[in-house]
Amino acid sequence: MSLPPPNPDERVSAPAPEPAAADPAAPAPVPPALVRSPLSDGEWHRLHPLTPLLRGGLFLIVVIGIVVANFRDRLIEGLFPWMLPSDWDEYAAESDPVDYVLSHDLLLIALLAVAGVLIVLLVLFWLSWRVHTFRITGDDVEVRSGVLFRTHRRAPLDRVQGVNLTRPMVARLLGAAKLEVVGAGLDANVKLEYLSTANAEAVRADILRLASGRQLGEAAAARAAPGSRTQAAVATLGAGLHGLIDGAEAPVAEPDSVVHIPTGRVIAAQLLSGSTLWLLLLVGFLVAGSIYGTPWVLFSIVPTIIGFGTYWFRQITKALRYAIAPTPAGIRVTFGLFTTITETLPPGRIHAVEVSQPLLWRGLGWWRIRVNRLSGRSATDAATEQFSDVLPVGTQADAERVLRLVLPGLPAAELDALFPQGVLGPTGSDGYETTPRRGRWLRPLSWRRNGFRVTSDALLLRSGVLRRALVLLPLARLQSVRISQGPIDRALDVANLTGHTVLGQVSGTLGILDRTAAQQAWAQVAAGAVAAAATDRSHRWDAAEEPS
C-alpha cells in the first residue's frame, strides 16, 4: 500500500527539543536589583590597565636602584661638582659605563638591549593583566590570575566578613584603588587590585548588598542591558585611561563621621603610649652605662631614637583622617594619611569589643576601642592590629557613640550602664562577680575591679587598675567557653574563665574568680550562646522578613 503524496500546504513541525538540564556547577545569576556597577553582572572582567605597574612597584624600585647605582658617578658629577676630588676625571673614565659604551662603539647594541628589556617587560605586564580577571556572581566573588602558574580564588558571599578599600598614595594619584573581600578563614581574602576609584566604590557596594541576604523581587531602577565582553573590556580600559589623565581620585561620597579626632590628640596619644616609656627607660640605661661604663655606648641612642621616631610617624599617619559612620551595609571606618583605608564592617561580624584606657591617658580622659573580627590574616600580621582599632583615641562621649555603633543589638539600658558600672566601676551593686577574699593577694591592686557579668546578650569581663579595660563578648558570636585551674588556683578554690572568639587583639580571659561562680557563669554562657545564636539575624542584616 502506497502512502499519499505530501500536501505542500501542510507544515510538518519537528518535535520540540527537551530542555537542557541545568548545570549544577554554573554560578547563580546576579539579581539585577542588587547591583549598580556593570562589573558586577556575573561575567568575567579585567582589572585596571595599570594594575601590573601598581603591583610591580617594588620590582621597578629595584630596577631604578640598579640604574642609579651604575650611574652614580655621573649623578655625583652633575649634582655635587664642588665635592669632586682632584683625580675625579681619571676615576670616572675608568668606572663610567656610558663612556665605556661610547668609546667601544657599542651604543647601538646597548640601545637594542634596553629596548629588548622594555619590550619583554611590557609583554609580561600585558600578559599578567590579560589573564588577571574577576567576576561577581550571586554566590561568589572569584579571581583568576597567573601566566605560568594559574590561581583561582573564590570567596562565598555568605561568608563575607567585610570589604576593605585601600588607596595607596601612588594609586590615588592615578585614580585607582584596591578592594579586599574579607573571608571567614585564614588567608581566605580575595583581592581586586586595582580598579578605578569610582568602580571600586560601586563594586564594594554591590558585594555588600549581595552578601546582605536581601531577598529577590525588590523594586530597582532599570539599568541598561549589559553589552558584550569586548564592550565591557573597552569600558574598563576607558575608565582606567580617564583615571590616569584626571590624576587624583575623584571625590567619594562619605557619610558624616560620628567622631572627629584632632591631629594634636593623635600625636599626644602616641607620645603618651607605652612605647614612649620603653624609650625613656632605654635612654636612661644607656646614659647610665655611658657614665659608669664605656662612653661610646651613648652613640647607640641615635639609631634608637631614629627607629622610634619612624615608628611614631607611621602610627600617627595611620590614625589621621580617621572617620567612623553608620551606613546601610554596616560600620564604615576610614583612616590613613598617605595610604587611605576604608573598611566596612557589616553587622554581626564583630566577635569581641574592648574599651581600654592606658595609664598616661587617664588624666586626659581618653579611651581606645578595639574589636575582634575575622580578617583573613594571622594574629601576628602587622595589619591585624591596624584593622582592630575602631577608635584609636577618643573621649568618653566618643567611646559611647562608637559602642552604640559596634553593639547595635545590646539593649539601651545595658549600653547606658557600660561606662559607669563596667568601664569606670565598681559601683555599689553593679552585678559583677569579683575576686574572692582568699585570692585577693594574687590581684592586690585590681581585685575590686577584677570581675565578670553575664547578661542575656553578652559576657562582660572587667579588669585592670593601671590599665582599665572592659571586654564585651556577644553571646551570639561566642565560639566556646572554658574554665581552667592551676595548682595554686585549686588550692585557693578559684578558677579562670575564658570566652573563645576569633583570633585578634582582644583577649577573652579573666582569672582568679570564685570557682562556684565561674561554674555558674559557664553554664549560663553555654545556654545563652545557644539561645542567642538560634535567634540572631544580625549576619543577614538586610534580609527581608522570613515567613512564619
Side-chain angles (χ1 to χ4, degrees), residues 333-513:
V333 184
T334 302
F335 55 90
L337 179 61
F338 300 114
T339 297
T340 303
I341 298 175
T342 301
E343 179 185 20
T344 302
L345 287 173
R349 299 308 200 252
I350 296 176
H351 295 247
V353 181
E354 181 192 56
V355 186
S356 63
Q357 184 183 59
L359 178 63
L360 297 181
W361 290 9
R362 184 169 301 180
L364 300 170
W366 294 344
W367 301 86
R368 173 189 289 125
I369 296 181
R370 285 181 170 175
V371 299
N372 282 358
R373 90 284 192 282
L374 288 170
S375 63
R377 300 182 177 90
S378 63
T380 58
D381 193 335
T384 302
E385 180 178 359
Q386 179 181 0
F387 282 101
S388 66
D389 290 338
V390 295
L391 179 64
V393 54
T395 62
Q396 179 176 334
D398 296 335
E400 290 176 342
R401 284 193 291 267
V402 172
L403 284 176
R404 282 175 167 80
L405 290 181
V406 300
L407 298 169
L410 210 63
E414 293 289 343
L415 285 170
D416 293 338
L418 285 181
F419 254 88
Q421 297 181 1
V423 180
L424 300 174
T427 59
S429 56
D430 53 24
Y432 284 80
E433 292 284 346
T434 58
T435 298
R437 182 181 298 274
R438 58 185 178 274
R440 291 177 181 176
W441 63 276
L442 295 175
R443 295 288 187 272
L445 299 178
S446 62
W447 63 269
R448 291 181 182 272
R449 283 184 46 83
N450 193 71
F452 70 91
R453 183 185 174 196
V454 182
T455 70
S456 59
D457 301 285
L459 171 63
L460 285 70
L461 307 176
R462 186 181 64 191
S463 63
V465 171
L466 300 180
R467 179 186 178 272
R468 295 189 289 189
L470 176 68
V471 174
L472 300 94
L473 306 177
L475 296 184
R477 306 270 82 81
L478 206 60
Q479 306 295 315
S480 64
V481 61
R482 180 186 68 188
I483 295 179
S484 61
Q485 282 184 313
I488 299 179
D489 298 329
R490 288 195 295 271
L492 297 175
D493 197 27
V494 296
N496 307 308
L497 183 65
T498 301
H500 294 123
T501 68
V502 297
L503 292 177
Q505 300 295 316
V506 179
S507 173
T509 299
L510 189 68
I512 317 303
L513 303 171

Side-chain angles (χ1 to χ4, degrees), residues 219-232:
R223 64 188 182 93
S228 63
R229 296 188 181 184
T230 304
Q231 293 173 342

Side-chain angles (χ1 to χ4, degrees), residues 6 11 13 41 89 100 111 116 120 126 137 139 226 312 325 339 393 404 527:
R11 295 183 180 178
S13 58
D41 57 1
D89 293 336
Y100 178 84
L111 292 176
V120 171
W126 181 83
T137 68
D139 293 328
W312 284 333
T339 297
V393 54
R404 282 175 167 80

Side-chain angles (χ1 to χ4, degrees), residues 10-328:
E10 293 181 358
R11 295 183 180 178
V12 180
S13 58
E18 296 182 1
D23 183 5
V30 179
L34 303 186
V35 297
R36 301 293 183 269
S37 171
L39 301 180
S40 308
D41 57 1
E43 300 293 333
W44 290 100
H45 297 279
R46 294 187 178 88
L47 298 165
H48 197 288
L50 296 179
T51 292
L53 179 64
L54 294 172
R55 296 186 66 191
L58 181 60
F59 173 75
L60 293 178
I61 291 175
V62 172
V63 172
I64 293 173
I66 295 174
V67 173
V68 170
N70 283 276
F71 289 91
R72 64 183 185 277
D73 298 337
R74 283 190 175 271
L75 292 174
I76 294 174
E77 185 178 359
L79 297 177
F80 311 102
W82 62 89
M83 301 178 60
L84 301 178
S86 57
D87 58 344
W88 176 257
D89 293 336
E90 297 179 3
Y91 170 78
E94 295 176 358
S95 59
D96 193 348
V98 176
D99 288 341
Y100 178 84
V101 170
L102 295 176
S103 62
H104 291 77
D105 295 329
L106 299 175
L107 179 60
L108 182 59
I109 297 177
L111 292 176
L112 290 175
V114 172
V117 171
L118 292 177
I119 292 173
V120 171
L121 289 177
L122 290 175
V123 170
L124 291 177
F125 279 6
W126 181 83
L127 283 176
S128 65
W129 171 79
R130 181 79 180 175
V131 301
H132 196 165
T133 57
F134 74 97
R135 73 173 175 180
I136 301 171
T137 68
D139 293 328
D140 309 283
V141 178
E142 301 178 61
V143 176
R144 297 188 304 196
S145 61
V147 178
L148 298 179
F149 301 96
R150 298 288 290 163
T151 301
H152 190 165
R153 298 183 66 91
R154 176 180 296 172
L157 290 174
D158 59 351
R159 295 294 184 267
V160 170
Q161 304 297 313
V163 182
N164 303 332
L165 191 150
T166 305
R167 303 182 185 97
M169 184 171 60
V170 176
R172 287 169 59 190
L173 296 176
L174 299 176
K178 63 179 178 180
L179 284 181
E180 184 175 11
V181 182
V182 180
L186 185 62
D187 194 26
N189 296 359
V190 172
K191 298 179 181 180
L192 306 180
E193 48 182 357
Y194 287 79
L195 299 169
S196 66
T197 304
N199 283 336
E201 287 284 348
V203 169
R204 178 178 63 170
D206 289 343
I207 293 173
L208 290 171
R209 196 176 295 112
L210 289 167
S212 67
R214 179 180 296 181
Q215 303 298 317
L216 303 180
E218 284 189 38
R223 64 188 182 93
S228 63
R229 296 188 181 184
T230 304
Q231 293 173 342
V234 172
T236 305
L237 178 59
L241 293 177
H242 281 297
L244 176 60
I245 295 172
D246 295 339
E249 59 182 293
V252 176
E254 293 278 359
D256 293 334
S257 177
V258 301
V259 173
H260 300 279
I261 305 178
T263 304
R265 186 193 299 172
V266 175
I267 297 174
Q270 187 59 43
L271 294 178
L272 295 176
S273 62
S275 59
T276 304
L277 293 178
W278 285 110
L279 176 62
L280 294 177
L281 290 174
L282 180 60
V283 170
F285 280 119
L286 292 176
V287 171
S290 64
I291 295 175
Y292 299 103
T294 308
W296 61 265
V297 175
L298 194 62
F299 290 99
S300 61
I301 295 178
V302 176
T304 302
I305 294 178
I306 293 175
F308 271 92
T310 303
Y311 171 76
W312 284 333
F313 180 77
R314 292 180 58 188
Q315 293 298 115
I316 290 171
T317 55
K318 287 178 181 178
L320 293 178
R321 294 184 64 182
Y322 168 85
I324 181 170
T327 69

